Amino acid sequence: MEYRWRYQDEQGRDVDGPKVAFPDQTAAEDWFGEAWGELREAGVGQVTLLRNESEVYGPMSLAPAE
């Protein structure tokens, strides 16, 4: 199995992001924990974690908490 992130803007439209694949969910989440700030600065508004092509969870907003 392969895990990866789907990147979208705040309106839910797909946007480009790093094309990185992970062997398991923990590795994907660890990477995201370090990269989310850079993704937000690059215009990513939300992410969804995928296992192969199935959604594990998301979309998860990258907007600051109010």
Side-chain angles (χ1 to χ4, degrees), residues 1-6 22 49-56:
M1 276 184 216
E2 174 182 282
Y3 289 80
R4 63 182 178 84
W5 294 99
R6 177 190 305 142
F22 305 92
L49 182 61
L50 303 174
R51 181 180 61 227
N52 296 327
E53 294 303 315
S54 299
E55 292 184 4
V56 177

Side-chain angles (χ1 to χ4, degrees), residues 14-45:
D14 289 345
V15 296
D16 289 333
K19 302 210 184 322
V20 183
F22 305 92
D24 56 48
Q25 184 172 339
T26 300
E29 291 170 340
D30 288 347
W31 176 86
F32 177 76
E34 296 177 13
W36 74 269
E38 293 173 20
L39 293 170
R40 178 75 183 148
E41 288 176 11
V44 176

